[in-house]
Amino acid sequence: MLPHPTDRLRFREMTPADLDEMTSLLGDPAVMTYYAAPKTRDEAAAWIEWNQANYARHGYGLWIVETHDGDFVGDCGLTWQQVNGRSELEVGYHVRSDLQGRGYGTEAALACLEFARNEVGVALLVAIIHPDNAASRRVAEHLGMRALEDDTGGSAVRIVMGVELG
């Protein structure tokens, strides 16, 4: 199952054929500013494999986001993450740096929120965001999320934003 297409975007599962696009996306320092480092080609391949395992286990993960014409935009979807020692369903998103600021992240994330509400049936959806990532925080706010807590379980403090779906 996939999120419903939006006015401009559609979703599909990642495959090994997406390695070049995912390497470009996850290897872009601008896209990965708030990660420890941009990802290598091997790390991008592992990212695809991780998402394929999520599809098999849960029926969802991060999906490829593209325009209705098939142009690669980025990835967006749902993954289980650890927040202060417990599992929470997170909506995550990466948009090509040359396409940022056009509302694609918000549009894709809203479709994933509806998927989480209607197909997964979770009561809470979160976004885990670096404190300095204002753009990602704005996307989360457009989803109706508010700051819930800080996650201190990793190497850096991250803000956990969330919205109740029930």
Side-chain angles (χ1 to χ4, degrees):
M1 292 191 303
L2 299 169
H4 292 294
T6 68
D7 288 344
R8 300 182 295 168
L9 304 172
R10 66 184 184 199
F11 298 83
R12 64 176 176 76
E13 291 187 359
M14 287 184 198
T15 71
D18 297 308
L19 183 56
D20 288 344
E21 285 91 356
M22 290 307 297
T23 298
S24 178
L25 179 74
L26 300 175
D28 182 340
V31 172
M32 302 302 283
T33 298
Y34 299 103
Y35 284 74
K39 295 193 181 298
T40 65
R41 186 172 182 84
D42 287 345
E43 290 169 328
W47 186 267
I48 292 169
E49 291 171 9
W50 172 61
N51 280 291
Q52 289 180 315
N54 282 331
Y55 307 148
R57 174 177 292 133
H58 305 294
Y60 51 85
L62 294 169
W63 295 286
I64 295 292
V65 178
E66 55 193 16
T67 66
H68 290 286
D69 293 332
D71 294 329
F72 178 78
V73 172
D75 68 357
C76 184
L78 306 170
T79 59
W80 289 98
Q81 301 291 333
Q82 287 297 304
V83 174
N84 293 319
R86 67 184 187 279
S87 289
E88 297 287 359
L89 190 63
E90 181 190 29
V91 61
Y93 32 85
H94 300 99
V95 174
R96 281 180 16 208
S97 57
D98 62 316
L99 296 178
Q100 290 178 1
R102 299 182 189 187
Y104 288 128
T106 298
E107 190 172 325
L110 279 169
C112 291
L113 179 149
E114 290 304 318
F115 184 93
R117 174 183 286 132
N118 299 329
E119 304 299 333
V120 181
V122 294
L124 178 71
L125 184 66
V126 303
I128 304 166
I129 301 170
H130 186 283
D132 297 332
N133 192 340
S136 190
R137 188 176 179 123
R138 279 192 303 275
V139 170
E141 289 168 347
H142 281 112
L143 301 181
M145 293 185 172
R146 60 182 175 75
L148 299 178
E149 63 186 302
D150 289 342
D151 175 49
T152 56
S155 59
V157 173
R158 303 174 303 170
I159 297 169
V160 180
M161 297 187 68
V163 61
E164 292 183 13
L165 301 180

